[in-house]
Amino acid sequence: MNHKIKIGLFGFGTVGQGVYRVVNRAKNAHAEIRRICVRDTAKKRDVEVPEGVLTDRAEDLFEDPEINLIVEVVDDAEASYRIVTAALRGGIPVVSGSKAMIAEHLPELIRLQHEYRTAMLYDASSCGSIPVIRNLEEYYDNDLLLEVKGILNGSSNYILSRVFDHGEDYSGALLKAQKLGFAESDPTFDISGKDSLYKLIIITVHALGVYIKPEDVFTYGISTIHDADIRYAREKGVKIKLVAQVVKVDESRFTMFVMPEFVSPSRYIYSVDNEYNGVVIRGECYDRQFMFGKGAGGLPTASSILSDIMARRHGYRYEYKKMGYMDTPEYTTDVRLKVYIHYETTDIPGKMVFERIHEKYTSSAGNYIIADISLRNLARYRSLLDAPDIFLANIPVFFLDKDD
Amino acid sequence: MNHKIKIGLFGFGTVGQGVYRVVNRAKNAHAEIRRICVRDTAKKRDVEVPEGVLTDRAEDLFEDPEINLIVEVVDDAEASYRIVTAALRGGIPVVSGSKAMIAEHLPELIRLQHEYRTAMLYDASSCGSIPVIRNLEEYYDNDLLLEVKGILNGSSNYILSRVFDHGEDYSGALLKAQKLGFAESDPTFDISGKDSLYKLIIITVHALGVYIKPEDVFTYGISTIHDADIRYAREKGVKIKLVAQVVKVDESRFTMFVMPEFVSPSRYIYSVDNEYNGVVIRGECYDRQFMFGKGAGGLPTASSILSDIMARRHGYRYEYKKMGYMDTPEYTTDVRLKVYIHYETTDIPGKMVFERIHEKYTSSAGNYIIADISLRNLARYRSLLDAPDIFLANIPVFFLDKDD
């Protein structure tokens, strides 16, 4: 497929307009955006396109025999699913950035790629401009990988960064993130940890060759963080970061979860601030690799999509090689964590059973407990932990001699 | 080439033994080391291999019809050149880690790959375990790239790290680096900047599609660093790092050089310590990406070689796409730098002409000058700058609004 790429683009918001700009900017890409499908062709946009490029009919893209690549950056998981599956069934390769849709439907999307002998690339779906999927698939293409751990959501990291590095309060920081366009107008997705979770699901497929359903992964966000938690972390000289991780716990098993974590200054991810993402890849022989870059924003995401477009020009596709390994590891939640739980009105010590309690603090301004508990048991209390007076954070000293 | 990889390995030192271990450790690699060619088969080694695997006859590898990949990790540029060219001419693909040889002969090696329709991979040659070549070739496969800058030599960085973070003196730190195996028994290669230079040459081919001969690139090492320079840097709150960089200076031109540099704490590479390498990739749309990992040592290098071995299993080859771009940028040394030059007996202000002098300091303990000079003019004084009383460092505030 070493010919000119003619793109049908779905979605023309921040990322879509970014894609339009980088494709036109990269003279040597030999790529061209032929048609753009949007909901409302009359809407005023920053980027101007020639007459006849915009359309609101998907058929105009699917039925154009010249179009040999669909790029889909629609901000609606259901629409994205319809577009991507229609393209694959029509034998047209797709580049997509829709993490929620991909995380939910990956097994089917892999099946469709095989069945219709076409390809789908989605590096932009995880960590914006950092080439994490491609590297896991191609470069860490062996069974020496032990762990992928990182800050995968730019918006929540921006908020925590304002709080920890600039002494702002949580709600002010959230507002600022929305103003700057790092957080969606509905930021639940970012601060609940769901966005990180979807990226982690995709990363795990390419890291270990195993697909785990989003609902089976323990996920806890930052929306209930209290001033007391921020003070506590500051006193201990650590920052609270929202961390997603997938970790081999022994030769045949791995675990994964998304949770706020106390991060000490000696860790790589400690210095990942603002809207940046950072990923640590740990392996048996290379120890740790750290990749760092912009995780949010139209142009960084668009540049990642350009890389996928160029890769298609050379016929590149994910082979999902690790899914064919003779001994893909098994998912377990049977691992012991050390956690910090802040509570006020909810009777955490009365309602939860811990393996071991390390510290217990009560005061009129709030209480906390530091205790060991298995991830499996923690998941049993998941709905209890949603109470607004509660905040949970991981203290990373656990189950392995790991230390990042 | 999705069959079993049967490897003929040349070299069985630290890296060669590392390759042997990781290939055997990676069960899903479907790779096997069939023969190993060494100079002395009787030599005692840490890693034991089965009878009949070791040989001192290269023909045993080249003439074995089962061997479908040569891996070459010989610590001798001439021997490495003979092995690699013989393999390519025989149509056998090669994985090599020999940066000096590759940097010197890359145009010929590219020609041989085309002529004999075979492939050569060498990600291990630059930055050990960091996948910099592969990412420049595949992921940053477009003309948006503006700069690649980094710490590419683990040994010299280890030495500077001991000096700046642990208050050791230069000669003690050098000794320690040698003891730990980070520096060669002859460390000239590392501390003269030559090792960084070779890596930079290779990186530039994959970053911008242009091959520049090593002798045409201004290279200055750390061997003449004085206590006064270290004190000066400490007072200013910066570290001295040995930095290699290739930078687009405008749409159609780029420059490159290897030089000690004053690095301030806000820069990514400031925190790259000990034997680690760190590379900043800057582009028009994604801003900065930072990759960080072990740049030296047997196992990290071996794991990079394993990645290349696996890539060959899937028929991967470098396409050198950027070399075919319609407008590859032109190399220039016509850029203004701001430099710090320490001198004692040599009359630097008398012998060198500067564009502008910012500061001049004289004392009984040594003198320095801070001045603007073009890279072209600096290169004219190259041999003068080799005097043992002189130390040169780049002060990065120059020719672009760049700030890493």
Side-chain angles (χ1 to χ4, degrees):
Chain A
M1 187 157 163
N2 213 328
H3 50 266
K4 184 153 185 169
I5 294 272
K6 296 190 179 170
I7 296 165
L9 175 65
F10 281 91
F12 206 51
T14 317
V15 177
Q17 293 180 50
V19 169
Y20 189 84
R21 283 164 63 187
V22 300
V23 165
N24 286 302
R25 184 75 192 80
K27 298 185 300 281
N28 282 295
H30 302 285
E32 166 200 336
I33 298 194
R34 205 173 145 81
R35 297 305 295 271
I36 303 171
C37 182
V38 292
R39 231 169 300 174
D40 175 8
T41 54
K43 193 173 153 186
K44 194 89 197 121
R45 290 173 174 90
D46 290 342
V47 173
E48 274 187 46
V49 299
E51 275 269 328
V53 168
L54 285 186
T55 172
D56 55 9
R57 292 163 29 98
E59 311 89 86
D60 288 346
L61 280 63
F62 287 126
E63 289 166 10
D64 185 332
E66 291 276 307
I67 286 176
N68 51 23
L69 183 70
I70 295 293
V71 174
E72 177 277 307
V73 288
V74 166
D75 189 17
D76 168 345
E78 276 183 48
S80 158
Y81 174 75
R82 281 196 306 272
I83 294 162
V84 165
T85 51
L88 293 176
R89 282 178 209 280
I92 312 173
V94 189
V95 169
S96 167
S98 302
K99 52 215 140 220
M101 185 279 289
I102 296 168
E104 293 287 354
H105 298 285
L106 199 42
E108 183 189 355
L109 297 173
I110 295 171
R111 197 172 48 71
L112 288 175
Q113 290 179 66
H114 282 122
E115 198 173 326
Y116 294 93
R117 291 164 184 270
T118 184
M120 174 172 179
L121 299 179
Y122 43 81
D123 213 309
S125 71
S126 291
C127 305
S129 61
I130 311 177
V132 63
I133 302 291
R134 191 92 70 92
N135 277 286
L136 287 172
E137 179 74 13
E138 296 304 317
Y139 197 81
Y140 302 101
D141 169 27
N142 57 57
D143 33 14
L144 304 179
L145 195 77
L146 294 175
E147 174 179 331
V148 182
K149 172 172 180 171
I151 293 170
L152 310 184
N153 178 265
S155 325
S156 59
N157 199 52
Y158 177 84
I159 295 167
L160 292 172
S161 207
R162 296 310 299 179
V163 167
F164 278 93
D165 302 334
H166 304 271
E168 297 178 11
D169 65 9
Y170 177 82
S171 50
L174 171 56
L175 214 65
K176 204 176 249 174
Q178 285 173 294
K179 265 190 197 155
L180 287 168
F182 297 142
E184 311 290 322
S185 51
D186 174 10
T188 325
F189 200 59
D190 297 309
I191 63 181
S192 68
K194 276 213 155 181
D195 179 78
S196 301
L197 167 67
Y198 291 140
K199 292 166 177 169
L200 185 65
I201 298 289
I202 299 170
I203 282 173
T204 302
V205 165
H206 294 274
L208 300 179
V210 183
Y211 172 75
I212 303 296
K213 284 190 203 138
E215 59 264 37
D216 293 338
V217 178
F218 187 88
T219 302
Y220 196 88
I222 59 164
S223 60
T224 59
I225 196 168
H226 300 84
D227 286 344
D229 307 317
I230 295 163
R231 260 196 321 273
Y232 176 85
R234 280 221 189 93
E235 278 166 19
K236 302 290 175 191
V238 300
K239 290 181 187 175
I240 297 172
K241 297 266 185 199
L242 183 56
V243 176
Q245 53 199 303
V246 52
V247 193
K248 287 273 284 280
V249 295
D250 56 37
E251 274 286 308
S252 59
R253 297 180 314 151
F254 74 97
T255 194
M256 64 199 285
F257 52 90
V258 178
M259 220 185 292
E261 180 164 314
F262 291 124
V263 180
S264 72
S266 64
R267 303 296 170 247
Y268 293 154
I269 55 174
Y270 182 85
S271 56
V272 177
D273 283 327
N274 295 320
E275 77 274 26
Y276 281 82
N277 284 186
V279 180
V280 176
I281 295 173
R282 188 167 62 92
E284 261 178 68
C285 295
Y286 42 84
D287 195 14
R288 289 180 173 72
Q289 301 261 313
F290 180 52
M291 290 180 166
F292 179 85
K294 285 209 172 160
L299 285 179
T301 308
S303 72
S304 175
I305 284 177
L306 176 65
S307 290
D308 277 350
I309 293 171
M310 297 302 293
R312 278 311 302 160
R313 198 165 158 244
H314 299 279
Y316 176 71
R317 47 176 300 151
Y318 304 139
E319 300 278 351
Y320 302 97
K321 301 159 203 159
K322 293 173 189 172
M323 289 190 133
Y325 279 3
M326 45 189 147
D327 45 8
T328 50
E330 215 167 291
Y331 177 45
T332 181
T333 55
D334 189 16
V335 293
R336 191 156 46 95
L337 302 181
K338 186 175 175 184
V339 295
Y340 159 101
I341 304 178
H342 168 107
Y343 59 98
E344 289 169 16
T345 50
T346 311
D347 179 19
I348 287 295
K351 290 190 170 171
M352 284 178 73
V353 180
F354 296 97
E355 283 180 34
R356 186 180 154 195
I357 292 174
H358 295 277
E359 290 179 44
K360 218 154 127 180
Y361 171 85
T362 55
S363 84
S364 56
N367 322 293
Y368 67 80
I369 191 166
I370 291 176
D372 290 350
I373 187 168
S374 76
L375 183 58
R376 177 177 301 154
N377 282 331
L378 198 62
R380 288 206 184 112
Y381 300 112
R382 186 64 195 77
S383 61
L384 177 72
L385 294 166
D386 264 342
D389 69 313
I390 292 180
F391 180 69
L392 165 77
N394 179 35
I395 301 177
V397 285
F398 54 119
F399 70 77
L400 267 180
D401 60 339
K402 57 196 293 291
D403 60 347
D404 72 319
Chain B
M1 187 158 164
N2 213 326
H3 50 267
K4 186 156 185 169
I5 294 275
K6 294 186 181 173
I7 297 165
L9 175 65
F10 281 90
F12 206 50
T14 316
V15 176
Q17 294 180 49
V19 170
Y20 189 84
R21 282 165 64 189
V22 299
V23 166
N24 286 302
R25 183 75 193 80
K27 297 186 299 283
N28 282 294
H30 302 286
E32 166 201 334
I33 298 197
R34 206 173 145 82
R35 297 304 296 268
I36 304 170
C37 183
V38 292
R39 232 169 299 173
D40 176 7
T41 55
K43 191 171 153 189
K44 194 89 198 119
R45 289 172 174 92
D46 290 341
V47 173
E48 276 187 44
V49 298
E51 277 267 327
V53 168
L54 285 186
T55 172
D56 54 8
R57 292 162 29 96
E59 313 87 88
D60 288 346
L61 280 63
F62 287 126
E63 290 165 11
D64 184 333
E66 292 276 307
I67 285 176
N68 52 24
L69 183 70
I70 295 293
V71 174
E72 176 277 308
V73 288
V74 166
D75 191 16
D76 168 347
E78 276 184 47
S80 158
Y81 175 75
R82 282 195 305 274
I83 293 162
V84 165
T85 50
L88 293 176
R89 283 177 208 281
I92 313 174
V94 189
V95 170
S96 168
S98 302
K99 55 214 137 221
M101 185 278 289
I102 297 167
E104 293 287 356
H105 299 284
L106 200 42
E108 183 189 356
L109 297 173
I110 295 171
R111 198 174 45 73
L112 288 175
Q113 290 180 67
H114 283 123
E115 198 173 327
Y116 294 94
R117 289 164 186 270
T118 183
M120 173 172 180
L121 299 180
Y122 43 81
D123 213 308
S125 71
S126 292
C127 306
S129 61
I130 310 178
V132 63
I133 303 291
R134 190 92 69 93
N135 276 287
L136 287 172
E137 179 74 13
E138 296 303 319
Y139 197 80
Y140 302 102
D141 167 27
N142 56 59
D143 34 12
L144 304 178
L145 196 77
L146 294 175
E147 173 180 333
V148 183
K149 171 171 182 170
I151 293 169
L152 309 184
N153 178 263
S155 325
S156 60
N157 199 52
Y158 178 83
I159 295 166
L160 291 172
S161 207
R162 296 309 298 178
V163 168
F164 279 93
D165 302 334
H166 303 272
E168 296 178 13
D169 65 8
Y170 178 82
S171 50
L174 171 56
L175 215 65
K176 204 174 247 173
Q178 286 173 294
K179 267 192 195 152
L180 286 168
F182 298 141
E184 313 289 322
S185 49
D186 173 10
T188 325
F189 199 60
D190 296 310
I191 64 181
S192 68
K194 277 213 156 181
D195 179 79
S196 302
L197 167 66
Y198 292 140
K199 292 167 179 170
L200 185 65
I201 299 288
I202 300 170
I203 282 173
T204 301
V205 166
H206 293 275
L208 299 179
V210 183
Y211 171 76
I212 303 297
K213 284 189 203 140
E215 60 265 35
D216 293 340
V217 178
F218 186 89
T219 303
Y220 196 88
I222 59 165
S223 59
T224 60
I225 196 168
H226 300 85
D227 286 344
D229 308 317
I230 294 163
R231 261 197 320 273
Y232 177 86
R234 280 219 190 94
E235 279 166 18
K236 302 288 175 192
V238 300
K239 290 181 187 174
I240 297 172
K241 299 266 182 199
L242 183 57
V243 176
Q245 54 199 302
V246 51
V247 193
K248 285 273 285 282
V249 295
D250 56 36
E251 274 288 310
S252 60
R253 298 180 313 152
F254 74 98
T255 193
M256 63 198 287
F257 52 91
V258 178
M259 221 185 290
E261 180 164 314
F262 291 125
V263 180
S264 72
S266 65
R267 302 296 170 247
Y268 294 155
I269 55 175
Y270 182 86
S271 56
V272 177
D273 284 328
N274 296 318
E275 77 274 26
Y276 280 82
N277 283 188
V279 180
V280 176
I281 296 173
R282 189 167 62 92
E284 262 181 66
C285 295
Y286 42 86
D287 195 16
R288 288 177 173 75
Q289 301 260 314
F290 179 53
M291 288 181 168
F292 180 84
K294 285 208 172 161
L299 285 179
T301 308
S303 71
S304 176
I305 285 177
L306 176 64
S307 289
D308 277 350
I309 293 171
M310 297 302 293
R312 277 312 303 160
R313 198 165 159 245
H314 299 278
Y316 177 70
R317 49 176 298 150
Y318 304 138
E319 300 277 350
Y320 303 96
K321 299 159 204 158
K322 293 173 190 171
M323 290 190 133
Y325 278 6
M326 45 188 146
D327 45 7
T328 49
E330 215 167 291
Y331 178 45
T332 181
T333 54
D334 189 15
V335 293
R336 190 157 47 94
L337 302 182
K338 186 175 177 184
V339 295
Y340 159 101
I341 304 178
H342 168 108
Y343 59 99
E344 289 167 16
T345 52
T346 310
D347 178 20
I348 287 295
K351 291 192 171 171
M352 285 178 72
V353 179
F354 297 98
E355 284 181 34
R356 184 180 156 196
I357 292 175
H358 296 277
E359 291 178 43
K360 218 156 128 182
Y361 171 85
T362 55
S363 85
S364 56
N367 322 294
Y368 67 80
I369 191 166
I370 291 176
D372 290 348
I373 187 168
S374 76
L375 183 58
R376 177 177 302 153
N377 282 330
L378 198 61
R380 291 209 182 108
Y381 301 111
R382 187 63 195 79
S383 60
L384 177 72
L385 294 165
D386 264 341
D389 68 312
I390 292 179
F391 180 70
L392 165 77
N394 180 34
I395 302 178
V397 284
F398 56 118
F399 68 77
L400 267 180
D401 60 338
K402 56 197 294 288
D403 59 347
D404 70 320

